[in-house]
Amino acid sequence: MASFASTECSLPLHQSRLSLPTHHRHHPGNGSCSTFLQLQRAATHESKSLSFTFSAQGTIPCVSVERNDRSSFVKTSAVRYLTGSVTRTQGLRFAVVVARFNEIVTKQLLEGALATFKNYSVQDEDIDVVWVPGSFEIGIAAERLGKSGKYHAVLCIGAVIRGDTSHYDAVANSAASGVLSAGLSSGVPCIFGVLTCDNMEQALNRAGGKSGNKGSETALTAIEMASLFEHHLK
């Protein structure tokens, strides 16, 4: 018959050093022993202990834990998953910042965004559209709108098309960093919907052509982020 051993211990919840056992009890006749360790928290007179029982029979150990001080433990019985909803749009307000430069593209992106808002029950009176000269100016306008406290999310729509000079890189990078900075500074989600394309054909394909409408995708992202912040991250 396999031997059976049971050990009962008390361990501190916050202790950098371990003390020796205070007493050791033997139970003759059943081949078992019980050891109790009471460890005191350093620099206090209050005992914080954790009791557990260790049992071994054959080669399969079993450990059961009993918490003597439940207040010192963080409850982790279930993981919470927080996500935004695209159906809970009532009361959400949005601003859309649109660059006028390359308007043949940005206007179609705006139309896609407004159509998506309508499809997801966002009311017209809860949407403000702000036009700026170009994509470079989007960031500062988005930051001002975010800090106004009137909106739950800000869409940033523009189109930067590569030309013969390095001007494309400067504007594209500045637009991206500007939108990011606006969101971080205001605490309001600022959604990046600025196309950065090599040519006009690529841009038109992404503004309602064969590659879909990125303005519509941007609006959907804005709804989800606004819902997440409003219902879970306030």
Side-chain angles (χ1 to χ4, degrees), residues 217-234:
E217 295 177 13
T218 302
L220 200 59
T221 301
I223 294 173
E224 182 175 345
M225 289 296 292
S227 173
L228 176 64
F229 273 53
E230 176 66 11
H231 301 300
H232 300 298
L233 303 182
K234 292 187 69 174

Side-chain angles (χ1 to χ4, degrees), residues 94-100 110 127-134 137-138 140-142 144-145 151 154-157:
F94 299 91
V96 186
V97 183
V98 190
R100 189 175 297 107
L110 173 62
I127 305 169
D128 291 333
V129 177
V130 179
W131 288 89
V132 295
E137 291 76 31
I138 288 176
I140 186 64
R144 178 64 63 89
L145 292 166
Y151 307 101
V154 180
L155 283 73
C156 302
I157 291 177

Side-chain angles (χ1 to χ4, degrees), residues 16-68:
S16 58
R17 294 179 297 177
L18 297 179
S19 62
L20 294 175
T22 57
H23 61 276
H24 189 125
R25 297 196 301 270
H26 291 278
H27 300 280
N30 59 7
S32 66
C33 65
S34 176
T35 302
F36 179 80
L37 288 83
Q38 182 66 43
L39 304 176
Q40 301 296 327
R41 177 188 287 181
T44 68
H45 298 290
E46 181 183 2
S47 174
K48 297 291 185 180
S49 60
L50 170 66
S51 297
F52 67 91
T53 301
F54 174 79
S55 301
Q57 187 170 9
T59 60
I60 304 177
C62 177
V63 178
S64 63
V65 177
E66 177 183 358
R67 294 177 294 184
N68 291 337

